[in-house]
Amino acid sequence: MVDFIECSTYREANLDEDPVIIPACGHVLTKSSMDGHMEMSQYYEISDNGNLGTVLGSSRPFSVDDAKACPMCRQPLRDIHRYNRIVKRGLIDESTKRYIIWANNSFVPLEQRLQEQEVNLSETKASISIQARKSTDHQSSTIDPLEITLRASRDSQIRQIKMLVGLSSRYEPILKLRSEIRIFQRKVREAEQPFGRVFQMVQEFRRATGQAIEFPIEGNILRVRERLLATTLAIRCDLIILSDFIKVHEEQAGNRTSPYHWTRATLR
């Protein structure tokens, strides 16, 4: 049987009016029967002769488990271009679900470690490493200025603190964590998400071929929650470092025995 609607066999089918579709699994179904199985009328305007017309709105999200397959053997229909919009959307949605799980599993440990670093700095005496000149801080990359200006971007301010002599041992753990947070930030950008990568591929193809392909980004596909969480975590990390440095500077300001000029420098 090649037609579920009329229950007709291949011998009885009129291939001029309703051609058959043969997927990779080898089963044969008429176009109208396969279109009905794939629920094409929910996604396209279909003419009387079975040709696809305008796309009806945006495709709804669904799981690969919900994606239609061959009604005979349940094999996927990924090799039939007529149904690519439906099948590939299911694959993208499934990849997005895996992305969300990965992002959450990556974010939670970073947040916990940041909390630990915040507690550790708050409970640690606001001291500097005097012996550091003999080890890690005795490098050309460290500075001992007479004036400290914490302005411009957060990166610029953290860079200044990182370069101050005597502070490497205090901020080394949280600065390492900060680098990991920044890497996580880049990985959760919209362009790195499954649908975002597909969008970039379409844009590159359009530029290379000069074709004006409409490919709007649907608001329910690209995830912004993970990016916002990562950005919030990065800002929080910088605020912890900045506030702790201000505390250290205030407590060291009255320390006349400190060998470093920046402890007595004006903080602007």
Side-chain angles (χ1 to χ4, degrees):
M1 186 170 62
V2 298
D3 194 324
F4 292 153
I5 300 174
E6 298 182 359
C7 297
S8 58
T9 62
Y10 181 77
R11 181 186 297 272
E12 299 167 336
N14 187 339
L15 301 185
D16 293 329
E17 295 181 359
D18 195 5
V20 295
I21 292 177
I22 306 176
C25 61
H27 291 107
V28 181
L29 283 175
T30 59
K31 183 176 67 174
S32 60
S33 184
M34 186 69 84
D35 284 356
H37 171 68
M38 297 296 292
E39 299 178 335
M40 294 292 281
S41 59
Q42 294 186 15
Y43 302 94
Y44 297 92
E45 290 182 359
I46 302 179
S47 63
D48 295 336
N49 59 3
N51 293 329
L52 301 181
T54 307
V55 177
L56 298 176
S58 58
S59 55
R60 64 182 186 278
F62 58 93
S63 168
V64 167
D65 297 333
D66 301 326
K68 300 294 184 179
C70 173
M72 300 290 192
C73 63
R74 306 304 302 167
Q75 289 293 316
L77 301 173
R78 300 176 185 176
D79 58 332
I80 303 178
H81 295 302
R82 184 178 180 84
Y83 308 120
N84 264 349
R85 181 179 178 85
I86 302 174
V87 176
K88 297 299 173 64
R89 173 59 194 269
L91 295 176
I92 293 176
D93 289 338
E94 193 66 22
S95 297
T96 301
K97 289 180 180 179
R98 290 196 295 268
Y99 158 81
I100 294 172
I101 294 173
W102 166 82
N104 184 68
N105 290 340
S106 301
F107 172 80
V108 172
L110 290 174
E111 184 183 34
Q112 292 174 344
R113 289 171 57 192
L114 184 59
Q115 290 178 350
E116 293 172 359
Q117 289 298 322
E118 183 177 18
V119 172
N120 181 59
L121 287 175
S122 64
E123 294 179 350
T124 302
K125 184 179 178 181
S127 60
I128 58 177
S129 177
I130 304 299
Q131 294 78 20
R133 284 186 179 275
K134 299 179 181 179
S135 55
T136 57
D137 275 335
H138 189 55
Q139 302 173 5
S140 59
S141 60
T142 57
I143 58 176
D144 188 15
L146 297 176
E147 182 177 286
I148 304 173
T149 303
L150 295 179
R151 293 180 182 175
S153 65
R154 299 197 328 269
D155 285 341
S156 176
Q157 296 178 48
I158 298 299
R159 193 179 305 115
Q160 289 186 63
I161 295 174
K162 182 180 179 180
M163 293 175 64
L164 290 176
V165 63
L167 290 177
S168 63
S169 59
R170 182 177 184 84
Y171 294 127
E172 183 178 0
I174 195 170
L175 286 174
K176 180 180 178 182
L177 177 59
R178 183 179 186 268
S179 298
E180 295 181 35
I181 294 174
R182 297 299 292 271
I183 293 174
F184 176 68
Q185 250 188 309
R186 291 193 291 270
K187 289 183 177 180
V188 295
R189 294 180 304 174
E190 284 85 343
E192 297 299 324
Q193 298 177 23
F195 189 86
R197 292 185 177 184
V198 173
F199 178 78
Q200 292 299 324
M201 291 173 60
V202 173
Q203 294 293 85
E204 291 175 5
F205 176 81
R206 184 179 66 176
R207 286 192 292 267
T209 60
Q211 298 184 35
I213 302 174
E214 293 187 6
F215 194 69
I217 296 182
E218 301 172 21
N220 63 334
I221 294 181
L222 286 179
R223 300 277 305 180
V224 298
R225 178 179 181 273
E226 287 72 21
R227 176 176 59 81
L228 292 176
L229 287 174
T231 302
T232 302
L233 197 65
I235 294 174
R236 181 181 166 193
C237 180
D238 290 350
L239 288 177
I240 291 172
I241 297 173
L242 289 168
S243 60
D244 182 79
F245 171 71
I246 293 173
K247 180 185 71 172
V248 171
H249 184 268
E250 289 177 348
E251 295 192 14
Q252 289 294 324
N255 183 6
R256 298 301 176 183
T257 62
S258 173
Y260 305 133
H261 297 298
W262 69 262
T263 58
R264 296 180 293 277
T266 303
L267 184 62
R268 298 179 183 275

